[in-house]
Amino acid sequence: MARMKARDQRDGFEDRLARIKKGGANTMGEVHLGPREEVRAGDKSAKPTNTVRIKKKKTKSREIGRGSAISLIFIAFVFGALSMFVGQVADFHLFNEGGLAPIDLSETPVGPYLQFAALAIGGVLALMFCWTFRLTSILRLAAAAAGVFCMVEFHTNMVQGAPGLFVKFFSKGYVETVKEMPKSTLFAA
């Protein structure tokens, strides 16, 4: 019994080698769909009719929905800047006079650090955005931090440049106060 199986396997292998050497069906990058015709009909000389050619040349695979490195760095920068802007608006509407939770902690040890509330809110939002959208490489996190920094550093310049826009987010008194502040001269020549 074992000899018959071994003989059948060897015959099948030799038959397959013969087809490969001859260049027969299923040896030239063809995929056959459905049952083979020669098996159904019992005819060994019949060629299958339902074949599909497969490209032999490999193409680069690219993940769908993933952008280039530069575009993702730009997106991280924008998320950082927008997060900081939201932090500044939230800080203004929550903790300043007339806000939802006006806190006067000037005489407490925490008082001097309340000025960093906007930075804390914006920083946490920027980290949440980066984590949510998988912008967690060092370069993308640095771009988000640069966005946060630019929004903090150039807030005065932006309010002075477009006061009508910032009145909608802050108040008229706040915009008038910021308009009288000196502009940021970080990159001034």
Side-chain angles (χ1 to χ4, degrees):
M1 187 73 146
R3 284 187 174 186
M4 287 180 56
K5 278 190 173 183
R7 185 181 303 148
D8 288 342
Q9 286 179 349
R10 187 178 31 220
D11 289 343
F13 181 70
E14 289 174 0
D15 183 40
R16 191 175 315 144
L17 280 177
R19 280 189 291 134
I20 289 171
K21 288 178 184 175
K22 185 175 93 173
N26 233 5
T27 62
M28 303 301 289
E30 296 176 343
V31 175
H32 300 277
L33 303 173
R36 296 186 347 206
E37 294 290 327
E38 64 268 17
V39 172
R40 275 194 286 160
D43 183 16
K44 299 262 184 200
S45 64
K47 262 195 139 287
T49 58
N50 52 354
T51 61
V52 176
R53 289 273 181 195
I54 295 178
K55 288 183 181 180
K56 289 188 178 186
K57 181 181 174 185
K58 286 196 171 192
T59 59
K60 277 188 172 180
S61 65
R62 183 182 165 126
E63 291 182 33
I64 296 174
R66 301 292 294 179
S68 70
I70 305 255
S71 65
L72 291 175
I73 289 171
F74 177 73
I75 289 171
F77 179 83
V78 170
F79 277 149
L82 287 177
S83 297
M84 191 59 219
F85 177 72
V86 169
Q88 290 168 340
V89 172
D91 175 43
F92 176 77
H93 287 289
L94 288 175
F95 303 125
N96 288 329
E97 289 181 32
L100 294 175
I103 300 174
D104 184 23
L105 300 174
S106 58
E107 281 93 36
T108 64
V110 181
Y113 300 108
L114 193 59
Q115 64 183 345
F116 298 112
L119 186 62
I121 294 169
V124 168
L125 279 175
L127 286 174
M128 287 173 48
F129 275 126
C130 287
W131 180 71
T132 301
F133 293 105
R134 295 183 182 161
L135 302 171
T136 54
S137 72
I138 296 296
L139 198 56
R140 293 173 190 153
L141 288 173
V148 168
F149 172 76
C150 286
M151 188 56 75
V152 169
E153 182 64 31
F154 299 112
H155 177 73
T156 306
N157 297 7
M158 289 187 284
V159 171
Q160 291 172 353
L165 176 68
F166 283 90
V167 166
K168 296 179 190 310
F169 294 104
F170 296 100
S171 70
K172 202 170 204 165
Y174 175 80
V175 170
E176 293 300 323
T177 304
V178 172
K179 280 171 62 175
E180 296 172 8
M181 293 178 162
K183 287 188 172 191
S184 172
T185 57
L186 183 67
F187 297 111

